Amino acid sequence: MRQTLTTKLRQQLAITPELKQSLHLLQISSLELRAEIQHAIETNPLLEHESELLETDAHDPGNDIAESSTEPDTSDETELADTLVRETLPQELPVDTVWEDTWIDAAPRPASSAAQDVEFPPQATARSLTDDLLWQLQTSRIAEEDRGIAAAIIYSINEDGWLIEPLSEILPSIAGSPVEAARAEAVLKIVQSFEPSGVGARSLGECLSLQLAEVPEGAAGRILALDLVENHLALLAGPDISVISAATGASEHEAKRALGLILSMSPRPGQSLAYAEDTYQTPDVVVRKFEGSWRVELNREAWPSLGINPHYQRMIERGSKTDDNVYLKDKLIEARWFLRGLRGRSDTLLRVASEIVASQRRFLEQGPSALVPMVLQDVADALGMHESTISRVTANKYMQTPHGLFELKYFFPPAFVATDGSQVSSVAIRARIQTLVREENPMRPLSDAAIMKMLAAEGISVARRTIAKYREALKIPSSSARKVR
């Protein structure tokens, strides 16, 4: 066996620390990003919050001299950063991502001049039902002298949305002149008009009545339902259609309609699912309608803005070879990489979110039932990115929409193929199941098999076990538990 020396030429990618940092910033949540930013500020003296940089510029007399003369020459540091880019970054990245997906050297795109003139309302960052109600109080047109009364009422509402203390006990806690009972009742009515519907009720009957009052007047069963919750609440404990019919003089058909309407109401409005979703997450992007089109914006409140300390930057420009200056140059390069990674994260997140909104316009207009099937590859192809990059961006990121707060992955539901060849999303099927259950006969509720057949008649082929899984996810009881006897 002969031993020989051969030379082979091959390309190999080396994942640099800077690239690893970029990929890491791309996939973490806004809460984790805050921690990363705080750690970077603590370990790098050149990084500071923008608010601190403004204070530094205002109190630094050297700034006036620099501004009155020519701009400082930053060619050395720019050349230093560019050299580092050329030496450490390969021409091609692995299939996992590409350079344009991760590092965006350009500054964020400015908004259009028309959009800059519009002042959008601040985002509600409620952490509890009380905070949410207080925010609604601030934005309401209630008289200034009644705001103290309304706030006292709100602080007496528990997590279920019920007013747990009588008004007679709440009024003495309000500073100032005595409050008349009639005036307190009028302010309570205003609070009860807040969201969620039914909040501020003092009894189950009042809670259901407040919700039924928002049902359109022409809705079948509305008048009888209001009569039942206000005057015959005891009949609803073990609902018997014949007894309800005899007590109210309504036909059994009308009683069924009214009872079905009542059962669709929530006895604990403060514990609604939509409110629970918005409680613990901060949106990364916000979608609003502006002049007839949907506008996607980054939520700048989700993470702080950073900049480079100008004082240390001027020290580097002196070009001394001291150990301190060499240290600061290294930290300058590190700071530039971190800021570039943040810009890349923001730009990529905005591009992905904009593409999602462009594909899911029907959802924004009509709600979850109009969500169309979509996969990560669809967005990747549209933006010229790799699927794994889209997966990183959509993980642990949230979008605030007119229909609530949703994780970006929510907009990629699995698809079911209808008999006509079209695709239907799993979210739309869940919404359809909710509608069928809401409209069912309480005396003969629909079983999972019956729902499966009804969907099949509409051209949607779904297995019975899938119907059961979706029903349980929607917290809908079984047909035997829903049956009114």
Side-chain angles (χ1 to χ4, degrees):
M1 180 178 181
R2 295 179 56 189
Q3 292 183 347
T4 59
L5 296 176
T6 59
T7 302
K8 292 183 178 180
L9 181 64
R10 66 175 182 177
Q11 291 183 338
Q12 183 177 358
L13 175 66
I15 303 296
T16 65
E18 292 81 9
L19 182 56
K20 288 182 179 179
Q21 181 189 61
S22 173
L23 298 177
H24 175 65
L25 293 176
L26 195 62
Q27 65 187 1
I28 60 178
S29 65
S30 58
L31 183 62
E32 293 170 322
L33 181 63
R34 282 181 172 271
E36 290 284 342
I37 291 176
Q38 185 60 35
H39 176 72
I41 292 175
E42 293 173 356
T43 57
N44 193 327
L46 273 79
L47 285 174
E48 288 187 6
H49 291 286
E50 283 193 351
S51 58
E52 297 175 353
L53 292 175
L54 293 175
E55 294 178 2
T56 302
D57 289 341
H59 294 86
D60 191 350
N63 289 338
D64 297 335
I65 299 175
E67 291 174 359
S68 61
S69 60
T70 59
E71 293 185 357
D73 184 11
T74 60
S75 58
D76 291 340
E77 67 181 66
T78 304
E79 183 178 346
L80 183 64
D82 292 340
T83 302
L84 181 63
V85 171
R86 291 193 298 269
E87 293 179 354
T88 59
L89 293 176
Q91 293 298 321
E92 294 185 3
L93 297 183
V95 69
D96 188 59
T97 185
V98 294
W99 170 260
E100 289 79 9
D101 298 359
T102 309
W103 303 98
I104 307 299
D105 195 20
R109 296 198 265 302
S112 61
S113 57
Q116 290 176 347
D117 297 335
V118 179
E119 183 176 352
F120 289 95
Q123 290 297 299
T125 56
R127 295 180 299 273
S128 67
L129 177 62
T130 301
D131 292 334
D132 190 26
L133 293 174
L134 289 174
W135 178 76
Q136 293 182 67
L137 174 61
Q138 293 175 359
T139 59
S140 65
R141 296 185 177 181
I142 188 173
E144 194 65 32
E145 57 271 17
D146 291 335
R147 291 185 178 273
I149 304 174
I153 292 174
I154 289 173
Y155 281 117
S156 299
I157 295 176
N158 65 8
E159 295 180 354
D160 290 334
W162 285 35
L163 184 62
I164 56 178
E165 296 181 20
L167 285 178
S168 58
E169 297 181 9
I170 299 174
L171 298 184
S173 65
I174 304 174
S177 58
V179 179
E180 298 179 357
R183 180 182 172 190
E185 285 284 349
V187 175
L188 175 59
K189 292 298 182 185
I190 296 176
V191 175
Q192 289 176 341
S193 67
F194 292 169
E195 293 292 336
S197 178
V199 73
R202 291 161 288 187
S203 64
L204 177 59
E206 186 177 23
C207 181
L208 297 175
S209 178
L210 289 171
Q211 297 177 65
L212 288 169
E214 296 188 4
V215 175
E217 293 186 0
R222 177 181 181 273
I223 297 177
L224 181 57
L226 282 169
D227 181 49
L228 286 173
V229 300
E230 293 174 358
N231 305 312
H232 306 282
L233 192 62
L235 298 178
L236 302 177
D240 188 312
I241 296 298
S242 59
V243 174
I244 293 176
S245 179
T248 60
S251 66
E252 291 192 0
H253 178 71
E254 292 174 338
K256 291 176 184 178
R257 291 271 191 175
L259 188 57
L261 193 58
I262 293 172
L263 292 176
S264 67
M265 302 293 111
S266 173
R268 296 181 177 87
Q271 298 295 330
S272 62
L273 177 62
Y275 174 76
E277 286 179 348
D278 290 343
T279 303
Y280 302 104
Q281 300 295 343
T282 301
D284 296 271
V285 291
V286 180
V287 181
R288 301 184 180 93
K289 201 163 192 179
F290 174 67
E291 294 184 351
S293 60
W294 292 101
R295 178 186 177 90
V296 184
E297 298 176 320
L298 291 174
N299 181 16
R300 293 300 181 183
E301 297 179 0
W303 58 85
S305 298
L306 300 181
I308 295 179
N309 186 301
H311 173 69
Y312 290 121
Q313 196 169 5
R314 284 190 293 272
M315 290 179 62
I316 296 174
E317 293 164 6
R318 297 171 186 170
S320 63
K321 302 297 183 180
T322 62
D323 292 342
D324 290 343
N325 207 48
V326 173
Y327 169 79
L328 289 177
K329 280 190 175 182
D330 291 339
K331 288 299 180 181
L332 174 63
I333 295 173
E334 182 181 313
R336 286 185 177 276
W337 276 112
F338 189 75
L339 293 177
R340 186 173 296 181
L342 291 179
R343 289 197 299 269
R345 180 187 191 275
S346 299
D347 186 82
T348 307
L349 176 58
L350 186 60
R351 291 173 64 194
V352 171
S354 299
E355 181 61 30
I356 291 175
V357 168
S359 302
Q360 298 289 2
R361 290 183 183 274
R362 287 180 55 196
F363 163 83
L364 297 172
E365 298 287 352
Q366 304 173 28
S369 61
L371 198 67
V372 299
M374 188 168 63
V375 295
L376 298 176
Q377 191 62 49
D378 295 336
V379 178
D381 293 341
L383 299 179
M385 299 180 181
H386 194 269
E387 183 179 354
S388 61
T389 302
I390 307 301
S391 178
R392 283 191 177 95
V393 175
T394 55
N396 304 312
K397 313 296 190 306
Y398 290 82
M399 178 187 291
Q400 183 68 52
T401 74
H403 303 287
L405 186 69
F406 299 92
E407 188 177 5
L408 293 186
K409 286 188 176 294
Y410 172 84
F411 298 98
F412 298 88
F416 290 86
V417 179
T419 54
D420 59 358
S422 62
Q423 290 187 332
V424 183
S425 70
S426 60
V427 176
I429 294 176
R430 294 187 190 194
R432 183 57 182 151
I433 292 174
Q434 280 184 311
T435 302
L436 291 174
V437 171
R438 190 182 304 116
E439 296 176 350
E440 70 184 1
N441 184 347
M443 298 290 291
R444 289 186 176 181
L446 298 173
S447 64
D448 295 337
I451 294 176
M452 179 188 68
K453 292 180 181 179
M454 296 178 73
L455 292 177
E458 297 176 3
I460 305 172
S461 179
V462 185
R464 188 190 61 80
R465 61 179 178 274
T466 304
I467 299 293
K469 182 180 71 174
Y470 288 173
R471 177 179 54 76
E472 291 173 359
L474 294 169
K475 298 182 180 180
I476 298 176
S478 62
S479 57
S480 58
R482 302 198 309 270
K483 187 174 183 179
V484 177
R485 297 175 176 81

